Amino acid sequence: MSKFLPEKKRLLEEVYEKASNATTDTSFSAILKNLEVVLRDEHRITLSYKTIENYYKAIVKEESDYPTKHVVLDDLSRYLGYNNFNEYCAEWKTIEHTIQQAISKIIITIINKPIFTMPDFLKKNGMGIVEMAFVILLVSGGVVFSSGKKQALGIASLWGTPAIEKPYMYWDKDRYIASDSSYINPQIEVVPMEPNKFVYQKKITRPDTLTIENAVGKVWYDKSNSHVEFFTNYGEHPENGKTLKVATVHIVETYGGANATEEFADN
C-alpha cells in the first residue's frame, strides 16, 4: 500500500465534495467537468476532468495504489485552500496527533476516576463523548493508548451500544440526537438514522471563531431573513430544509469572525 494512500483518498473525497456543492449538476462526470472549468478559470490550474476521474475511481472507489503525479496532488490541495499536498498531509497529521492525545487522556481519566472533566476543546466544538470516540476510531483505526499499552477498542466495547446504531434521530438546536423511537412529540421531526449526518452535521455555535483560512470552502451556511447560520457539513438545513451553500470569502468576512459577535450574543 502506498505510504500516502489514505491522504490521497481523503483529498480526492474532499475535492469531490466541494465540487459537488458548487454546482447544480448531480452526475459524477458533470461535476468533474464543472470542476475542470473552475480550476482553470478561478485557480489557473489546467487539469483534465478525465485525470481527476481516473484518480477518484482508482484511489477512492477501488482503494488501489494508483500512480499519481505530485503536481496534480498539489493542484487539488490548492483548490481546497492549501499551498501544496505536503501542507495538506501535515495538517491531517497534526489533527490526528491532537485527537489521539485527547482520547488517551479521557480514557486514562475514566479508568482512574468515576467522574471526569471533558477537555475544553471538545466542548467548544460541540462534540459529545460517543461522537468523539467515533471520530477517533475513524482517524486512528480504532487504536488508543492507556497505561502505555496499545489496545484495539471498538466503540461498543468502550462506551456501550453506540448511538449510531439506533434507528432514528432528530435535530436538537445544533446537532442530531439518536433515538429508539419514531415519535418524540408533535414539534419534533424524527427521521431515520443517517450515520453521515449524525456524526458530521453540526451547527457552528461560535461563528466568531471563523476565519478565511479555516472556513472558506470548508463550512456551509444558510441565510434566511438576514440571519446566517454556519454548519460543519453540506446538505440541507435540518430545520427549514433549504440547501446549504459553501461558505465564500464574502460570507465569512460579513457574518463570521468579529462581525459575528453581535449575532452570537443574541443566541
Side-chain angles (χ1 to χ4, degrees), residues 165-211:
E165 290 185 358
K166 293 186 177 182
Y168 304 101
M169 65 181 187
Y170 61 92
W171 183 257
D172 183 24
K173 297 180 181 179
D174 62 354
R175 71 187 61 210
Y176 280 104
I177 304 297
S179 174
D180 290 316
S181 175
S182 61
Y183 176 81
I184 305 297
N185 66 53
Q187 287 73 44
I188 294 179
E189 180 183 6
V190 179
V191 298
M193 171 62 70
E194 292 187 46
N196 184 65
K197 285 186 178 181
F198 180 78
V199 175
Y200 297 110
Q201 186 63 288
K202 314 286 181 185
K203 177 181 176 180
I204 298 175
T205 59
R206 291 292 304 275
D208 56 316
T209 63
L210 299 181
T211 64

Side-chain angles (χ1 to χ4, degrees), residues 206-225:
R206 291 292 304 275
D208 56 316
T209 63
L210 299 181
T211 64
I212 300 300
E213 292 73 21
N214 68 22
V216 174
K218 301 175 184 178
V219 302
W220 288 259
Y221 76 96
D222 168 65
K223 184 177 182 182
S224 299
N225 300 321

